[in-house]
Amino acid sequence: MHEIEKTNIDSVTANAPKDEHAPINWTNMILFTSTPLLAAILVPWYGMVYGYSLYDWVAFILMMGFCGISITAGYHRLWSHKAYKAHPILRAIFALGGACALQNDVFHWASDHRRHHAFVDNNDRDPYSAGRGFWFSHIGWIVRHYESSKEDFSNIKDLQRDPILRWQHKHYLALVLIMNIALPSFLGYLGGSIMAGILLSGLLRLVLSQHFTYLINSLAHMWGKQTFSKKSSARDNPVLALLTYGEGYHNYHHTFQWDYRNGVRWWHYDPTKWLIRSCSWLGLTSDLKRVSPLMIETARLEMQYRMASEKCSSLANADKWREKLEEEYQQLKTTLDLWAQHRQEWYDSKTSQLHEQYEQLHEKWDQLALRDKYREVKYRLKLQRQRWQELMQSFGNLQAA
C-alpha cells in the first residue's frame, strides 16, 4: 500500500512565487465552479426521477475513454513528448477528442506541459508546480492568470507546422461546442433521451475526465513511490494509473519522458501503451520510442542503492552494512551490464537469422552457443536480483541505532 510521502524539499524551489494573488481568470473560474456543481445536482436528480438506461451508461463509458485516451495518447505522449509518430487519421481523432475533453487546444496544453518538464517543481516557472500545494497543481493554476502559465509558444514550433493542429487551434471553440453539446445530444437521441446524453456523456463525463487528468499534475507528485529518480517530486502510483489510462507511473515518465510507455512492465495497467502498440500493427503509429532495459534497470538499482546507503549511516555496525551493500551493488551492476550485452547480441543474432536464406552449420552452432550464454547470464542476473532484494528487505527491517 502506498503511503503519502512528503515532497522532497531539495527538489522544490524554496522561494515563494511572486504572483500568489494573480488576477482571476473568470472564464475558467465560472466553468470549473459551475460544471461540478451542476453535475452533483442534475445527474443524480435526473437518475432518480427518470432513470438512465444501460445504453446511456455505455455511451458515458465510451465517451470517457475517447476523451481520456485522446489526452494521454494524443496531447501527452504524441504531441508533448514526440514518443511516436501517428497517421493523420489518428491525429485528427485525437484532436477532436482533446476538444471534447475541454483541456485547451494542443498548442496551449503541450506548451505548458513541456515547460512543466523543463522546470519541474520550480514554483516560478513550472505552470503547475506541486511545490505550491495540491490545490494549485490540481486546478488552482487554471483559475488565475499566473505568470508561470503565461502563453508562450516558443517551445512548440514543431507542432505549429502540423496542419491538423493549426486547424484545431483556429476552430477550437466551435469544436468544443460540437463535441460537448452536439455529440452528447446526438448520442442521447439515439438512446431515446437527449437529456440523459447531455447529463452523462456531456456533463458528468466532462467533470470526471478533467479531474482525473489533473490528478497527475497534483496527487501523482505527492502520493506513491520514487522508483527511478528523486530529481523531481513525481511518484509511481498504480492506483492513479487505473483512473488515467496508465499515466500513474509518473516517476518513470519523468525519468524517461521520451518513452511511449508509462507502465513499463507487461502487467502494468497502461491502456494508452496498448493502444499505441496495437495501432502500430495497423500502420497508424510508427517510430515507437522505448528506453533500453539496461537504462531502466540501472536507474532502479541506483535508486535502491542510494536509499539503502542513506539508511546505513543510522544503523549499528554501519561500516559492516555499507561494505556488504557496496559488494552486492557492484556484483549486481556487473551482472546487469553483462546481461544487457549478451541480450543485445542474442537479439541481433536472431534478427540477422530472419533475413538470411541459408546458414552454414558452424554459424548455427555459434548462435546456439550465444543463446546458451545469454540464458546463463540471465539466470545469474535472476539469482543476483534475489539476493539484492533480500538485502533491501533486511535494510527495511533494521532499526536505526
Side-chain angles (χ1 to χ4, degrees):
M1 183 68 182
H2 293 283
E3 295 180 357
I4 297 179
E5 300 179 22
K6 183 179 179 182
T7 302
N8 188 341
I9 300 300
D10 294 336
S11 67
V12 179
T13 301
N15 296 328
K18 304 171 184 177
D19 54 354
E20 281 294 345
H21 302 290
I24 294 175
N25 183 329
W26 284 108
T27 301
N28 287 348
M29 180 67 79
I30 293 171
L31 174 68
F32 287 101
T33 302
S34 62
T35 50
L37 185 61
L38 290 172
I41 296 172
L42 296 179
V43 172
W45 170 81
Y46 188 90
M48 289 186 291
V49 175
Y50 300 101
Y52 299 107
S53 66
L54 177 62
Y55 169 88
D56 296 329
W57 286 111
V58 170
F60 161 75
I61 292 171
L62 292 177
M63 285 288 285
M64 281 286 292
F66 174 48
C67 290
I69 288 291
S70 294
I71 294 297
T72 60
Y75 275 41
H76 189 205
R77 303 189 198 185
L78 173 62
W79 286 310
S80 294
H81 293 293
K82 311 300 285 286
Y84 66 100
K85 295 178 181 178
H87 191 278
I89 292 176
L90 197 58
R91 301 206 312 273
I93 292 173
F94 288 158
L96 291 173
C100 190
L102 195 55
Q103 295 182 27
N104 222 325
D105 58 44
V106 173
F107 288 168
H108 286 89
W109 202 102
S111 177
D112 286 340
H113 193 71
R114 288 181 178 182
R115 286 203 306 277
H116 166 65
H117 275 269
F119 306 108
V120 61
D121 296 329
N122 183 318
N123 292 350
D124 289 321
R125 306 189 70 178
D126 181 349
Y128 30 88
S129 172
R132 297 178 72 168
F134 176 87
W135 168 255
F136 176 87
S137 58
H138 188 76
I139 199 171
W141 69 281
I142 300 175
V143 298
R144 286 183 180 271
H145 293 290
Y146 290 103
E147 187 68 23
S148 57
S149 55
K150 185 177 180 180
E151 181 180 306
D152 178 8
F153 290 166
S154 61
N155 60 349
I156 57 160
K157 294 186 182 300
D158 56 317
L159 301 183
Q160 290 178 313
R161 293 191 290 269
D162 189 328
I164 293 175
L165 300 188
R166 292 201 303 269
W167 169 78
Q168 191 220 36
H169 180 72
K170 182 178 180 180
H171 302 288
Y172 182 69
L173 180 57
L175 291 174
V176 164
L177 296 176
I178 292 170
M179 300 304 295
N180 284 280
I181 298 177
L183 180 57
S185 298
F186 177 69
L187 292 175
Y189 170 77
L190 294 179
S193 173
I194 293 177
M195 185 55 67
I198 291 175
L199 290 179
L200 285 187
S201 297
L203 184 59
L204 182 62
R205 179 271 314 162
L206 176 64
V207 172
L208 291 182
S209 64
Q210 286 179 335
H211 285 277
F212 285 171
T213 297
Y214 301 152
L215 284 175
I216 297 302
N217 299 339
S218 55
L219 202 55
H221 281 260
M222 301 172 183
W223 179 30
K225 294 182 178 180
Q226 292 179 295
T227 314
F228 300 94
S229 174
K230 278 194 173 184
K231 292 181 179 179
S232 77
S233 59
R235 262 75 172 162
D236 285 337
N237 191 315
V239 176
L240 294 181
L242 294 175
L243 300 175
T244 58
Y245 309 94
E247 298 288 279
Y249 304 101
H250 208 48
N251 188 258
Y252 178 85
H253 171 63
H254 266 266
T255 307
F256 306 111
Q257 59 183 281
W258 61 91
D259 198 325
Y260 83 95
R261 308 162 300 172
N262 272 15
V264 68
R265 299 295 196 188
W266 68 266
W267 65 83
H268 286 166
Y269 181 78
D270 188 357
T272 303
K273 168 187 69 177
W274 302 331
L275 174 70
I276 295 170
R277 185 64 177 172
S278 299
C279 285
S280 71
W281 303 333
L282 302 175
L284 295 175
T285 61
S286 60
D287 294 342
L288 279 61
K289 296 177 183 176
R290 298 164 59 103
V291 178
S292 71
L294 178 60
M295 289 183 66
I296 295 171
E297 294 306 316
T298 299
R300 189 196 309 272
L301 174 61
E302 289 180 352
M303 189 64 182
Q304 292 174 343
Y305 173 72
R306 175 182 171 181
M307 294 174 66
S309 296
E310 291 173 355
K311 188 166 185 177
C312 265
S313 58
S314 63
L315 297 175
N317 300 321
D319 292 339
K320 170 190 168 185
W321 282 106
R322 190 175 288 109
E323 182 180 348
K324 183 173 180 59
L325 175 66
E326 183 67 25
E327 179 184 354
E328 289 291 337
Y329 170 73
Q330 292 299 337
Q331 287 183 8
L332 180 53
K333 196 171 186 304
T334 299
T335 307
L336 188 62
D337 291 340
L338 190 60
W339 166 78
Q341 175 187 339
H342 285 295
R343 181 180 185 274
Q344 189 62 47
E345 289 175 355
W346 169 236
Y347 277 93
D348 288 346
S349 174
K350 287 177 66 178
T351 301
S352 64
Q353 185 181 25
L354 292 175
H355 295 289
E356 293 176 358
Q357 298 297 322
Y358 62 91
E359 294 179 338
Q360 298 296 326
L361 183 60
H362 72 275
E363 291 177 331
K364 292 182 179 180
W365 278 109
D366 287 344
Q367 284 197 338
L368 288 174
L370 187 60
R371 182 199 65 183
D372 293 340
K373 187 181 295 184
Y374 166 60
R375 289 178 175 176
E376 178 186 348
V377 174
K378 187 177 180 180
Y379 181 69
R380 283 173 53 192
L381 178 61
K382 180 180 178 180
L383 296 179
Q384 197 80 45
R385 277 176 171 161
Q386 288 176 352
R387 291 205 307 271
W388 177 258
Q389 291 303 324
E390 289 172 359
L391 181 60
M392 292 299 101
Q393 289 175 6
S394 298
F395 272 99
N397 295 330
L398 288 170
Q399 300 296 323

